C-alpha cells in the first residue's frame, strides 16, 4: 500500500503535521521513536506556549498526543533508518526491518542532545551519565551532581535538580555563563548550585558508576577532580538526520535547507519541519507552525500530482 504521506517524528512538529494531514483526509502514517521529543525532556514548566501560562512538558505533550490519536492516522513506534526516492515514490525503512511507501514525506525528526565526546562518556551512559534530567534526575536524591553547560538548558536542569540533589555544580567551558538573567537569579536562590567557569571537561570516571569528573581550569591550566555521582549533559543539540543524506542539502550546522514558503526541501514531495531544518528560532510554537504549513503544502503538492 502507498500512503499519501509519511511523517517521521512525534515531537510538536510531527504531531501537528499529523493532525493537519488527517483533517485534509490524507492517508497518513506517522513513524516515531517516542512522543514528545525534546518537550518530554523539559525539566521546568513551559511558559511561552499560548493558552498555558505554565505547563509541564509531559502534560503538554500528552495533550498533543491525545489530540493526534483522535484523528484517522496510522502510527508506528519505530526508528526510521533509511529514506530513498524511487521514481515518484518515497521508500522508508525502519529499525525493525519494516518498509513503507508514500507519495510525500515530512521529516520532523528534531534534534538529539549533542554528545560530550570525552573519555568515559559511552561507558557511563545510564551509569550516572544522563542526557535527560527529567527522566533520570530522581535517581540522584541527596547526591552531588554536575551539569555540563552554562546555557539556559543547563540552568533549567540545575533548577530542577536542586529539588532532588544535595549539591549541584554547573560546568561552563567559556569565561561566562550564557543563561538568561532570570534563570541565573533562580539558580542563585536555590543556595545549592556552584558555577565553575573556564572549566573544560576532560574525563568522566568511576568503577561501575560515575564517582568523579576531571576538568581543566582554562586559565591556570590546573587539572581538577570533582567528586560527583551524576553528570547531566546540556551542551546543545544536533539535527537528527542520519537517515537522509542525498535527498536534501544541509547548512554548516547540518540543518536541512528548506523553502520558507512551504518547508519543502530540494526534492519535490519531501518536506522538513521544526528543529531539524534551518529555521533560526527553535521553539515548540515554531515547530508546530511549520508542521501545519508542511501538511497543507503536502495536500497542495498531491493535488498537482493528480493532474
Ligand atoms: C531543555 C530544553 C528546553 C526547552 N524549552 C522550551 C520552552 O520552554 N519553550 C519552547 O517553545 N521550546 C523549548 N525548547 C525547544 C523545543 O523543545 C523544540 O524546539 C521542539 O521540541 C522542536 O520540536 P520538533 O518536533 O521539531 O523536534 P523534537 O522535539 O526533537 O522531536 C523529534 C521527534 O522525532 C523523533 N525521531 C528522531 N529521529 C527519528 C527517527 N530516525 N525515526 C523516527 N523518529 C525519530 C524523536 O523521537 C522525537 O519524537 C526546549 C528545548 C530543550 C532541549
Amino acid at each position: 500500500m502507498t500512503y499519501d504521506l509519511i511523517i517521521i517524528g512525534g515531537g510538536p512538529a510531527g504531531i501537528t503535521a499529523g493532525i493537519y494531514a488527517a483533517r485534509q483526509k490524507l492517508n497518513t502514517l506517522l513513524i516515531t521513536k517516542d512522543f514528545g521529543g525534546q518537550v518530554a525532556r523539559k525539566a521546568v514548566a513551559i511558559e511561552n506556549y499560548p493558552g498555558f501560562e505554565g505547563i509541564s512538558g509531559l502534560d503538554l505533550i500528552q495533550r498533543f498526543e491525545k489530540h493526534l490519536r483522535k484523528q484517522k492516522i496510522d502510527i508506528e513506534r519505530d526508528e526510521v533508518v533509511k529514506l530513498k526516492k524511487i521514481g515518484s515514490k518515497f521508500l522508508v525503512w525502519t529499525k525493525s526491518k519494516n518498509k513503507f511507501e508514500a507519495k510525500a514525506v515530512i521529516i520532523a525528526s528534531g534534534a538529539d542532545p549533542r554528545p560530550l565526546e570525552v573519555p568515559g562518556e559511552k561507558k557511563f551512559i545510564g551509569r550516572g551519565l544522563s542526557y535527560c534530567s527529567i527522566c533520570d534526575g530522581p535517581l540522584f536524591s541527596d547526591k552531588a551532581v554536575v551539569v555540563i553547560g552554562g546555557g539556559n538548558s543547563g540552568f533549567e536542569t540545575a533548577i530542577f535538580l536542586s529539588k532532588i540533589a544535595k549539591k549541584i555544580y554547573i560546568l561552563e567551558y567559556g569565561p561566562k555563563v550564557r543563561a538568561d538573567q532570570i534563570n541565573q537569579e533562580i539558580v542563585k536562590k536555590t543556595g545549592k548550585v556552584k558555577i565553575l567557569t573556564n572549566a573544560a571537561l576532560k574525563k568522566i570516571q568511576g568503577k561501575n558508576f560515575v564517582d568523579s569528573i576531571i576538568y581543566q581550569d582554562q586559565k591556570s591550566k590546573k587539572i581538577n577532580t570533582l567528586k560527583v555521582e551524576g553528570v547531566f549533559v546540556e551542551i546543545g543539540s544536533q539535527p537528527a538526520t542520519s537517515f537522509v543524506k542525498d535527498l536534501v542539502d544541509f547548512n554548516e550546522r547540518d540543518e536541512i535547507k528548506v523553502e520558507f514558503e512551504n518547508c519543502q526541501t530540494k526534492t519535490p514531495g519531501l518536506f522538513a519541519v521544526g528543529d531539524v531544518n534551518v529555521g533560526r528560532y527553535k521553539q515548540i510554537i515554531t515547530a508546530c507552525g511549520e508542521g501545519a504549513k508542511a501538511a497543507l503544502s503536502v495536500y497542495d503538492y498531491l493535488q498537482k500530482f493528480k493532474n
Side-chain angles (χ1 to χ4, degrees):
M1 155 175 155
T2 305
Y3 282 99
D4 289 327
L5 169 64
I6 290 178
I7 299 166
I8 303 169
I15 291 177
T16 311
I19 293 168
Y20 272 74
R23 289 172 61 80
Q24 293 299 101
K25 300 213 179 317
L26 299 180
N27 184 14
T28 303
L29 168 67
L30 184 143
I31 308 174
T32 188
K33 287 194 285 187
D34 62 38
F35 276 101
Q38 295 166 75
V39 180
R41 296 200 292 267
K42 167 108 176 136
V44 298
I46 291 159
E47 296 179 344
N48 57 4
Y49 193 78
F52 299 94
E53 284 161 35
I55 184 165
S56 78
L58 282 177
D59 279 353
L60 184 63
I61 215 67
Q62 271 164 11
R63 285 169 189 252
F64 277 26
E65 186 182 343
K66 192 168 159 209
H67 192 167
L68 176 75
R69 288 190 185 276
K70 288 218 166 117
Q71 316 300 317
K72 199 172 171 303
I73 182 169
D74 290 347
I75 295 171
E76 288 280 335
R77 289 292 289 268
D78 207 340
E79 179 177 346
V80 171
V81 290
K82 195 161 81 176
L83 169 65
K84 288 245 168 265
K85 189 174 189 190
I86 295 174
S88 59
K89 285 192 187 144
F90 291 92
L91 298 179
V92 173
W93 287 265
T94 69
K95 200 171 180 180
S96 11
K97 307 223 179 309
N98 285 318
K99 187 171 135 196
F100 300 98
E101 210 175 283
K103 297 175 196 161
V105 168
I106 296 178
I107 302 171
S109 47
D112 293 324
R114 194 173 289 285
L116 294 164
E117 287 167 6
V118 296
E121 179 173 27
K122 290 209 174 88
K123 176 177 173 188
F124 291 109
I125 293 174
R127 294 165 172 268
L129 184 130
S130 168
Y131 302 92
C132 177
S133 58
I134 199 156
C135 322
D136 303 325
L139 302 171
F140 295 85
S141 171
D142 236 16
K143 296 187 168 158
V145 298
V146 61
V147 178
I148 313 294
N152 276 324
S153 299
F155 271 65
E156 287 186 3
T157 295
I159 294 164
F160 173 73
L161 291 171
S162 69
K163 296 177 198 114
I164 302 164
K166 182 170 68 186
K167 177 82 194 166
I168 300 115
Y169 299 91
I170 294 177
L171 207 77
E172 165 58 40
Y173 183 85
K176 272 200 286 193
V177 295
R178 292 159 288 115
D180 293 344
Q181 201 55 38
I182 186 151
N183 278 333
Q184 295 195 36
E185 281 163 21
I186 302 171
V187 156
K188 201 169 173 192
K189 273 194 202 141
T190 67
K192 281 187 172 183
V193 183
K194 182 167 181 190
I195 298 165
L196 303 165
T197 52
N198 283 312
L201 180 68
K202 294 287 172 196
K203 192 177 175 190
I204 300 161
Q205 54 188 22
K207 263 195 175 165
N208 292 322
F209 290 88
V210 172
D211 64 22
S212 56
I213 62 160
I214 305 278
Y215 71 94
Q216 182 171 37
D217 186 310
Q218 300 278 74
K219 272 189 171 166
S220 66
K221 303 288 170 211
K222 197 175 157 223
I223 299 285
N224 300 299
T225 303
L226 189 65
K227 288 212 167 302
V228 285
E229 290 176 74
V231 179
F232 290 86
V233 185
E234 294 293 351
I235 56 165
S237 53
Q238 57 191 18
T241 57
S242 56
F243 55 88
V244 53
K245 287 287 166 232
D246 44 349
L247 294 178
V248 298
D249 286 331
F250 296 97
N251 69 4
E252 65 290 351
R253 290 187 298 278
D254 287 334
E255 296 163 330
I256 299 174
K257 289 188 181 175
V258 291
E259 287 169 32
F260 169 75
E261 192 190 358
N262 54 12
C263 293
Q264 185 167 277
T265 66
K266 73 169 184 186
T267 301
L270 180 61
F271 299 76
V273 296
D275 278 18
V276 81
N277 79 18
V278 290
R280 182 149 173 209
Y281 302 107
K282 312 237 185 253
Q283 290 286 285
I284 301 166
I285 192 119
T286 52
C288 292
E290 290 181 1
K293 202 198 269 191
L296 295 172
S297 305
V298 168
Y299 178 79
D300 288 345
Y301 169 78
L302 294 177
Q303 295 307 303
K304 285 184 215 145
F305 198 68
K306 272 184 192 164
N307 302 326

